[in-house]
Amino acid sequence: MKIGLVGCGNISDIYLANLSSVFTNASFYACSDLDAEKVQKAAQKYNIPHIMTFEEMLECDEIDMILNLTTPKSHYTLSRQALLKGKHVYVEKPLALTYREGKELLEIADLKHVGVQFGQLADELFEFCIIFQRMIVIRNSFAFDQLCQSVHCGVAIKFNSIRYDSLL
């Protein structure tokens, strides 16, 4: 799974370190930050091949998932844009600042057949990547005439008659 990271602040280092050196099921394809110095440092330190704007990430077919590590006030807006473009989204907690916004993000994920998860640990992102790699394989292997929904640990998923729990 190729990840586009938005937000290269303090918390990003733990995600970048773990995903760049420990986990093999995901890799960073691009990073973005409003601070040009932060994004340059992250790209160089972790060998991230592309620096893009968030808007460029949304249009990039190579990116499967957006890792949203921005400030909480931006979580809803950026996650919503990514979900509407058909990207999976992992966002550092909180998912959104209001119940209404959080509910809307889950509804968009459901409509677009993508996943959204919020959490606070890089290890949770690892599990999320495994789930959605398997989901992509399932999508490419089966027809989608009977969709079911499973919500578990903040993850909203729709796919062909396979429960989330069976993917772990």
Side-chain angles (χ1 to χ4, degrees), residues 89-90 95 106 109-110 114-119 124 127-128 131-132 148-159 162-168:
V89 172
Y90 184 97
L95 176 62
L106 294 177
D110 184 49
V114 293
V116 60
Q117 179 171 334
F118 59 95
E124 293 172 351
E127 181 179 296
F128 186 69
I131 292 163
F132 289 103
C148 69
Q149 179 178 0
S150 173
V151 176
H152 181 72
C153 295
V155 180
I157 309 170
K158 277 191 102 169
F159 51 94
I162 308 284
R163 288 194 38 87
Y164 164 82
D165 296 343
S166 69
L167 295 175
L168 296 178

Side-chain angles (χ1 to χ4, degrees), residues 9-166:
N10 294 334
I11 193 68
S12 68
D13 206 49
I14 188 73
Y15 286 89
L16 288 164
N18 284 343
L19 280 168
S20 297
S21 63
V22 178
F23 303 128
T24 60
N25 69 319
S27 63
F28 285 99
Y29 183 82
C31 58
S32 176
D33 196 284
L34 296 176
D35 184 327
E37 187 177 330
K38 285 181 183 178
V39 74
Q40 288 288 343
K41 282 182 182 178
Q44 187 173 18
K45 182 176 180 179
Y46 294 102
N47 298 314
I48 301 172
H50 305 281
I51 294 174
M52 298 179 172
T53 66
F54 178 65
E55 292 74 18
E56 289 170 333
M57 285 185 189
L58 296 181
E59 298 302 324
C60 181
D61 292 335
E62 293 294 320
I63 295 175
D64 303 304
M65 181 181 72
I66 297 295
L67 171 56
N68 183 351
L69 300 181
T70 60
T71 58
K73 68 181 180 183
S74 300
H75 286 181
Y76 165 76
T77 302
L78 298 179
S79 296
R80 183 178 186 278
Q81 290 174 21
L83 291 169
L84 287 170
K85 286 292 188 174
K87 307 284 187 195
H88 301 296
V89 172
Y90 184 97
V91 59
E92 179 73 16
K93 66 176 179 56
L95 176 62
L97 294 181
T98 69
Y99 172 80
R100 182 194 58 77
E101 290 175 346
K103 185 172 187 285
E104 181 185 350
L105 292 178
L106 294 177
E107 289 169 352
I108 293 169
D110 184 49
L111 179 69
K112 291 291 194 173
H113 309 295
V114 293
V116 60
Q117 179 171 334
F118 59 95
Q120 62 182 1
L121 300 171
D123 293 348
E124 293 172 351
L125 177 59
F126 171 68
E127 181 179 296
F128 186 69
C129 291
I130 291 172
I131 292 163
F132 289 103
Q133 280 183 328
R134 292 181 183 171
M135 186 174 135
I136 290 166
V137 170
I138 291 166
R139 279 201 172 160
N140 291 334
S141 302
F142 295 100
F144 283 91
D145 51 347
Q146 292 184 335
L147 294 174
C148 69
Q149 179 178 0
S150 173
V151 176
H152 181 72
C153 295
V155 180
I157 309 170
K158 277 191 102 169
F159 51 94
N160 183 36
S161 301
I162 308 284
R163 288 194 38 87
Y164 164 82
D165 296 343
S166 69

